[in-house]
Amino acid sequence: MLDTPEAVVEALRENNDRPHGLQRTITAEELVEAAEPFEKPDVLVTALLELMSAYEFTGEHRKSPVVFARLLKLCDTAPESFSQWEAHQVFWRFKWVTTSLLQVPEVPLATVHGWIEQMRARYEAADHGMQPVAAMRYHVAHHTGTGVADAYDLWATRPRTELSDCEACETRHVAWHQVTAGDDAGALDTWRPVLDGSMGCSEEPQMSQARALLPLLRAGRTDEARSHHLTGYRRVRGNTGMQDEVGMHLEFCALSRNEGRGLEILAENRPLFDATGAPLARLGFLTGAEALLARLVEDGHTDTAVAGPPGRNWTAGELLAHVRSEADRLTTAFDARNGTTAVGDRRRLRLAQRPLLDEPLPLGLRTSTTRSSATRGAPEAVPASPIGPDVPEDFVSLVREARRMASAGNPAGTRLWTRIAERLADGTATHDDRIGPEDLLRAELAEQRAYRLAQEDRETEGVTELRRAADLFERLGMPWHALSARTRALTWSAVPDDNTDGVASQEGQGADHGTERLDADAMRAAVDEALREAERLKTEAPFTGESLGEGEAASGVDGAAERVLEYLALLYSCTFAAYQEALRRLPDASGPAMERFEEFARTLHSEAERLSVPHQVANARLFLADMAGRRGDAVRAEAELRAALKDVDASGRPWRGSRPRALLAQTLLSKDEPAEAVDLLHRAISDAVRYDDTEFALAPAYALLGHAASHLGDAGGAVRHLSEAAARFDQEGAHNEATDIRLQLADVLARTGQQADAVAVLESVLSDEAASSLDERLLAQARLTLARGLRELEEYLAAAEEFLRLADTVAAWEDDRAVHTLVAAEAATALAMADRWDAAGTAYERAVASHAEAPNPSLITHMMREFARLTMLAREADGVDTALGHLAQADAIGADVPEGAENFVAWYESGEVHYRRARVLAEAERFPEALAEAEAAIAAHEQGGEQGEVPRAEAVRIAALIEGNGLGRFHEAIARLTTAAARCRKADLPEAARILDALREDYLTR
């Protein structure tokens, strides 16, 4: 019942603890009604201030001035009802009223100026400085576009007062003034203390982060732009008081070519379409949405389903029309009210912007809408543009050029074969006898279809195409081509193995799990038969190894040069089959399968060398290097790969260098030599793009590049490349691989102090749609990492919720009971941190019970120490006894651990329990007992040698605090600190020594 002032005050206190949102606002309105009947208006004053705050922070700017008018009247009629803080708030909130009135186009400018004048008069009467008044006049000038320079000077040159906006907010206004004046560099310099976290408030840095996104992109500072988008958006999403900022994030997505991310932001913020309390901020949101939707429609996605105002389904085109109409209406209303075109001009300027990047900025996020498959790019450090043939209009020339490039093995020729197939299909070309028999072209197109199908993991269909090609070649009297195609089809029918990822895609090879498979014996017999057939053909149609030219291939004749290429392609296929069988025998490094593989690789090498085909020599070396790497022989792998790169250089086929470079980089990374690996991977990716090599696996290459950059300490590079790798895995539909990369990305971000960025990445991984397709174990790891990240950000309730979801995920894992212990313990701690003590207690007991089945003493004792710490923070009446009980349990757990148990460092665990007990007892002012426990902690850590020095120093600090502040024994404490600081300096722990010296100096001054 809210029938007494005390009851309303208590309800106000409870409501103040709620997050800003609809429930808090409704309750605030109810509490104002409850406070109105009381004889004294002091509770009503408090309730009105609470209601005004609720309106301000949820974007209800239409209502806020009405509440303030009531407060102002009470201030004049019953000033004694205002506390000192409340009286100060009346002056402070004059600024809120001005900005609220500007938000509503129906409010005449004269009314806004009238409020500012009343603000000036009251400030003057109370002897307050005029800088806040000048700030309000500047905001009006900036909004209307009239007298901006003079208003800015009058504000910015005045000294700050106690009623000025906080420094972080004023910094935002100054920086935004510079942005609108075209000075991005100056704005970013002004923003630095806000963006780097040196200053902030309840609205900052998230408001500045949104405004800085485009200036950062324009300045080429893409890493910072990515980070501020990831962290800033988390703070504004779904917040009706941050509509303008959400719109800026939408605009950023459009201009950084991340339209898919923008659509997800629209979907997450559908309620903002119905938020009408702040029309100017609403216009900002709608303008950002319009910029995004216009990009989609311009790119041909008019009919794409998008999330719009609730109540109906929308396409991009329909929502664009709706948003544009509503934004036009608001723009017209503001410009009419202001008598200027400033609002409309700003909107038109935003909508006229073009994307600021040539390719999507990798954000590291999993989005439901992937990038265009046409998007292919090289790292920033190695710009490259595809070098490909012009596509001749003349069909005969087109076929001849495609054949010439196929003979040279140039991957860029794939586009020509695609064009040939398209023209035959759409009837714009017919067969011409000048390009040879029609069956020859059909065979060549069948081969090309087979390679394309292999890239799409559809080898079953690819095998069918290869066999069709072989039949056609046979009919044409081209036995080498026929045999080569059949052998390749044969090796695609090998028994599958998940490890065949090293060189399998070279020369169009693959291992699809859907093909009808041959067992090892049948495969060996079939390969041997193919080799016997090759020997027979060599006697019937010998080749001399002459220089390979384009004449025979272009005419469709099975000449000597073409026979050489097909013979070596056959040997490659046979080597590939032996390679697959040897892989299945690993880790066994010897035996018939490995001998057979080595023999085939040597044969391919020697024959390619004899026939002067260096790119096939390089292929043989690639097989040997890959196998050596898998067997742990990095020295041989490196030697073979370096030799292979020389062979590639000699071949005149530079596009064949990407794979050996990527494998060499992988080998060097295993030897912890990241610098050269980075250079190799840049070149590999650049060449793959340059030569349009669609078979080169770009996603794993970017992942390797990210690892290499991380090893070099280049966190920015690591984030860029891992983000790119994840996006490319998504494009390929490899979502588990993409998730694994994002977990690595989150680790890099967390280790470099970007925990909020890491959390944003992990949240995208665990969105409902993404999580549904993930491997359960990978999902669990992602959720565990997210929960820990949220805990680091002090978002304890969100962390606890993730731990509880994780508990549901692992509940059925009977084969891994240790995970149950871990999850229960971490969930218990997070719930306690979130002040959910009942749930925390349940999880605590579950963790202890799980520990009995799957022991994890280090984890459980850490949980118990944390509960002791958090219990004292809660300041409950029985807190000391409860905390000491947790520590007694920790002692019991530690005592039961066998000596020498793995993952349990007895001296450390014992020392930490003594340390925590010392602090609990000190807070209870039981100083002699506390000092004894601190001494015990010091002694325990002493046993740790060098590893114990840091926790020992901290235990000494606590002992000195107890000794000095608690027991008044300053001389003893100073002596203790002097000795300990010297010990820290000797152990090369300068920071620990500095902390101890600072306490010692403090005691000396006393």
Side-chain angles (χ1 to χ4, degrees):
M1 294 293 291
L2 299 175
D3 52 1
T4 67
E6 292 76 17
V8 174
V9 168
E10 181 58 31
L12 284 167
R13 187 177 293 112
E14 291 178 3
N15 199 41
N16 190 57
D17 290 335
R18 292 190 177 100
H20 283 291
L22 182 61
Q23 182 56 54
R24 178 167 173 172
T25 301
I26 291 173
T27 302
E29 290 172 337
E30 293 171 349
L31 292 175
V32 167
E33 292 181 14
E36 285 177 335
F38 300 140
E39 182 179 353
K40 292 184 178 180
D42 51 345
V43 177
L44 178 60
V45 167
T46 305
L48 287 169
L49 285 168
E50 165 62 21
L51 179 58
M52 192 176 181
S53 294
Y55 286 153
E56 177 73 16
F57 289 103
T58 54
E60 291 288 352
H61 292 284
R62 293 180 183 275
K63 300 178 180 179
S64 186
V66 177
V67 177
F68 186 72
R70 293 184 66 185
L71 279 167
L72 210 54
K73 185 176 181 180
L74 285 169
C75 188
D76 291 336
T77 58
E80 71 283 355
S81 299
F82 289 73
S83 68
Q84 184 177 355
W85 179 85
E86 290 168 337
H88 177 83
Q89 282 297 300
V90 171
F91 287 104
W92 182 270
R93 296 188 188 195
F94 261 107
K95 297 179 295 182
W96 291 12
V97 173
T98 300
T99 54
S100 291
L101 294 173
L102 277 180
Q103 283 276 346
V104 184
E106 294 85 359
V107 176
L109 277 185
T111 301
V112 181
H113 288 301
W115 273 102
I116 295 175
E117 178 57 27
Q118 186 175 170
M119 175 183 177
R120 184 203 61 76
R122 288 183 180 261
Y123 272 45
E124 193 174 69
D127 202 24
H128 289 305
M130 291 294 109
Q131 194 258 15
V133 178
M136 294 304 103
R137 287 176 174 152
Y138 165 72
H139 292 325
V140 174
H142 181 269
H143 173 68
T144 61
T146 304
V148 179
D150 289 343
Y152 178 78
D153 287 341
L154 286 172
W155 163 51
T157 57
R158 289 178 183 270
R160 286 174 48 77
T161 75
E162 64 173 350
L163 287 169
S164 297
D165 282 345
C166 78
E167 284 193 74
C169 288
E170 287 212 334
T171 296
R172 176 182 74 248
H173 296 312
V174 172
W176 194 236
H177 176 83
Q178 292 171 296
V179 169
T180 55
D183 184 10
D184 283 348
L188 292 172
D189 189 56
T190 299
W191 255 320
R192 185 179 298 115
V194 176
L195 296 180
D196 69 14
S198 300
M199 62 172 64
C201 66
S202 62
E203 296 179 335
E204 291 293 348
Q206 58 267 34
M207 293 183 77
S208 289
Q209 285 176 313
R211 284 161 175 73
L213 291 172
L214 297 188
L216 286 167
L217 280 187
R218 290 193 288 262
R221 291 161 61 173
T222 53
D223 289 347
E224 294 168 78
R226 175 197 302 107
S227 177
H228 290 308
H229 169 64
L230 294 180
T231 59
Y233 174 67
R234 288 190 72 246
R235 299 184 184 196
V236 303
R237 64 184 173 197
N239 186 341
T240 54
M242 293 280 178
Q243 290 182 84
D244 206 356
E245 286 68 31
V246 174
M248 290 174 179
H249 284 279
L250 288 169
E251 182 180 23
F252 165 79
C253 290
L255 299 182
S256 66
R257 297 187 182 271
N258 279 284
E259 293 87 350
R261 166 68 168 167
L263 289 180
E264 291 195 342
I265 291 176
L266 269 187
E268 288 180 330
N269 292 276
R270 292 187 77 180
L272 296 192
F273 284 104
D274 293 336
T276 59
L280 187 60
R282 173 175 168 77
L283 176 59
F285 167 69
L286 293 173
T287 302
E290 185 177 353
L292 172 71
L293 294 164
R295 286 285 311 141
L296 288 166
V297 169
E298 184 180 325
D299 286 345
H301 302 295
T302 303
D303 296 327
T304 297
V306 298
R312 58 161 286 188
N313 295 326
W314 297 88
T315 66
E318 291 168 343
L319 184 58
L320 175 60
H322 171 80
V323 164
R324 184 169 285 161
S325 173
E326 178 66 8
D328 282 344
R329 183 187 66 77
L330 286 171
T331 300
T332 301
F334 277 112
D335 283 346
R337 188 271 300 270
N338 299 337
T340 68
T341 61
V343 173
D345 291 344
R346 282 194 288 270
R347 175 166 172 256
R348 285 185 285 273
L349 187 63
R350 288 177 70 181
L351 295 175
Q353 296 177 103
R354 306 302 300 163
L356 298 170
L357 302 174
D358 293 332
E359 295 173 358
L361 173 65
L363 300 177
L365 302 175
R366 199 273 187 188
T367 59
S368 57
T369 306
T370 58
R371 298 180 299 178
S372 166
S373 59
T375 300
R376 292 174 56 82
E380 297 86 336
V382 193
S385 56
I387 291 180
D390 293 331
V391 180
E393 284 298 318
D394 176 66
F395 188 67
V396 172
S397 300
L398 175 62
V399 174
R400 286 175 175 168
E401 180 63 9
R403 284 174 173 165
R404 186 189 69 79
M405 298 195 79
S407 180
N410 192 324
T414 301
R415 291 192 296 117
L416 301 185
W417 289 108
T418 300
R419 184 59 183 149
I420 291 168
E422 288 172 350
R423 292 194 61 181
L424 289 172
D426 65 18
T428 59
T430 57
H431 185 74
D432 191 306
D433 289 342
R434 288 176 293 172
I435 57 176
E438 187 172 358
D439 277 353
L440 173 61
L441 185 57
R442 288 175 179 168
E444 291 165 325
L445 288 170
E447 278 192 309
Q448 293 297 323
R449 283 195 298 273
Y451 302 148
R452 187 174 64 253
L453 289 165
Q455 281 185 265
E456 298 170 2
D457 292 330
R458 295 162 61 190
E459 266 90 349
T460 301
E461 298 162 77
V463 166
T464 300
E465 292 295 334
L466 281 175
R467 289 172 178 162
R468 179 179 293 117
D471 291 342
L472 289 166
F473 284 132
E474 197 75 60
R475 289 211 308 253
L476 288 163
M478 301 174 70
W480 277 110
H481 286 74
L483 180 59
S484 175
R486 284 201 182 94
T487 307
R488 181 163 296 164
L490 175 72
T491 60
W492 286 7
S493 301
V495 176
D497 186 275
D498 290 338
N499 293 323
T500 56
D501 59 348
V503 294
S505 62
Q506 183 82 23
E507 296 288 331
Q509 299 289 356
D512 175 65
H513 293 194
T515 309
E516 182 181 347
R517 301 299 178 180
L518 298 178
D519 63 24
D521 291 339
M523 177 60 68
R524 282 194 298 271
V527 166
D528 290 343
E529 177 58 31
L531 288 172
R532 284 192 292 272
E533 178 65 10
E535 289 302 314
R536 185 185 66 78
L537 288 177
K538 283 166 69 176
T539 62
E540 292 184 1
F543 39 78
T544 59
E546 64 266 41
S547 176
L548 302 178
E550 61 178 280
E552 294 162 335
S555 64
V557 175
D558 191 3
E562 285 294 294
R563 293 198 292 272
V564 167
L565 288 178
E566 297 303 325
Y567 167 61
L568 291 175
L570 178 147
L571 289 181
Y572 182 97
S573 294
C574 294
T575 307
F576 177 69
Y579 164 83
Q580 287 185 300
E581 184 180 358
L583 280 186
R584 287 192 292 275
R585 301 293 185 268
L586 289 178
D588 183 10
S590 60
M594 194 62 67
E595 291 172 5
R596 181 178 172 86
F597 163 70
E598 294 271 358
E599 180 184 351
F600 271 111
R602 284 194 299 270
T603 300
L604 175 61
H605 181 287
S606 61
E607 286 293 272
E609 204 166 53
R610 178 178 70 82
L611 295 167
S612 301
V613 184
H615 77 268
Q616 287 288 16
V617 178
N619 285 341
R621 293 188 187 280
L622 242 65
F623 275 120
L624 293 168
D626 182 79
M627 189 62 71
R630 291 172 184 271
R631 294 166 66 180
D633 188 352
V635 174
R636 183 183 181 188
E638 181 179 351
E640 293 285 4
L641 289 166
R642 292 192 186 281
L645 285 171
K646 291 180 180 178
D647 294 325
V648 169
D649 289 340
S651 74
R653 300 183 175 201
W655 46 84
R656 291 189 172 273
S658 290
R659 287 170 184 78
R661 286 190 176 91
L663 281 173
L664 179 56
Q666 189 172 14
T667 301
L668 293 172
L669 275 176
S670 72
K671 296 170 61 181
D672 198 23
E673 297 177 21
E676 186 182 358
V678 166
D679 293 339
L680 287 164
L681 287 163
H682 275 301
R683 174 73 183 278
I685 294 170
S686 180
D687 280 355
V689 175
R690 181 181 180 86
Y691 297 111
D692 204 17
D693 185 358
T694 57
E695 288 189 13
F696 181 71
L698 280 170
Y702 273 109
L704 271 179
L705 187 53
H707 296 317
S710 180
H711 282 292
L712 276 179
D714 177 12
V719 169
R720 283 193 298 277
H721 304 315
L722 290 173
S723 298
E724 183 67 29
R728 289 181 180 275
F729 276 125
D730 276 339
Q731 282 179 260
E732 296 165 10
H735 298 308
N736 283 323
E737 290 82 352
T739 297
D740 185 56
I741 294 297
R742 289 192 171 95
L743 285 170
Q744 297 169 42
L745 171 60
D747 180 63
V748 170
L749 289 167
R751 283 190 285 107
T752 54
Q754 301 174 79
Q755 187 64 259
D757 300 50
V759 163
V761 169
L762 292 165
E763 285 178 335
S764 78
V765 167
L766 292 165
S767 64
D768 291 342
E769 182 179 347
S772 63
S773 63
L774 294 181
D775 173 80
E776 188 179 62
R777 302 275 168 163
L778 199 57
L779 175 66
Q781 183 59 56
R783 202 171 294 287
L784 175 62
T785 308
L786 172 60
R788 288 171 170 171
L790 289 166
R791 186 177 61 201
E792 287 297 311
L793 292 178
E794 299 183 6
E795 297 180 27
Y796 299 127
L797 184 56
E801 289 170 351
E802 291 299 332
F803 278 122
L804 293 175
R805 292 190 185 100
L806 178 58
D808 291 339
T809 300
V810 305
W813 292 10
E814 295 300 328
D815 61 329
D816 197 356
R817 301 296 299 176
V819 172
H820 295 200
T821 307
L822 181 148
V823 174
E826 298 222 34
T829 303
L831 286 162
M833 288 175 166
D835 202 27
R836 299 296 195 271
W837 283 99
D838 289 343
T842 301
Y844 183 103
E845 295 304 325
R846 188 182 302 121
V848 172
S850 183
H851 168 73
E853 295 183 31
N856 191 333
S858 180
L859 179 71
I860 292 297
T861 56
H862 178 268
M863 175 191 74
M864 292 168 171
R865 294 196 304 270
E866 278 294 279
F867 263 69
R869 179 182 70 85
L870 295 167
T871 297
M872 295 303 293
L873 285 177
R875 301 196 178 279
E876 298 292 337
D878 59 347
V880 175
D881 290 340
T882 302
L884 292 175
H886 290 307
L887 295 172
Q889 280 188 285
D891 277 335
I893 294 286
D896 287 341
V897 178
E899 188 174 347
E902 189 177 359
N903 297 325
F904 187 83
V905 183
W907 63 264
Y908 175 78
E909 300 295 342
S910 173
E912 288 302 287
V913 173
H914 284 300
Y915 170 82
R916 182 53 56 195
R917 189 178 286 113
R919 298 200 61 161
V920 169
L921 291 167
E923 288 183 53
E925 299 186 3
R926 292 160 59 174
F927 298 120
E929 297 169 80
L931 182 58
E933 287 296 324
E935 297 279 12
I938 295 169
H941 290 309
E942 188 87 41
Q943 300 172 33
E946 290 184 8
Q947 292 181 313
E949 288 297 331
V950 171
R952 181 188 184 280
E954 170 59 13
V956 168
R957 185 183 73 86
I958 291 299
L961 284 169
I962 296 167
E963 206 164 27
N965 294 339
L967 298 172
R969 290 156 42 180
F970 290 103
H971 292 297
E972 291 88 340
I974 290 167
R976 183 193 297 276
L977 291 165
T978 302
T979 302
R983 177 170 176 152
C984 287
R985 281 187 284 273
K986 186 176 180 181
D988 194 25
L989 298 172
E991 181 61 17
R994 185 192 65 77
I995 292 170
L996 295 174
D997 282 336
L999 180 56
R1000 174 179 174 276
E1001 291 301 317
D1002 178 47
Y1003 280 175
L1004 284 171
T1005 61
R1006 301 194 196 183

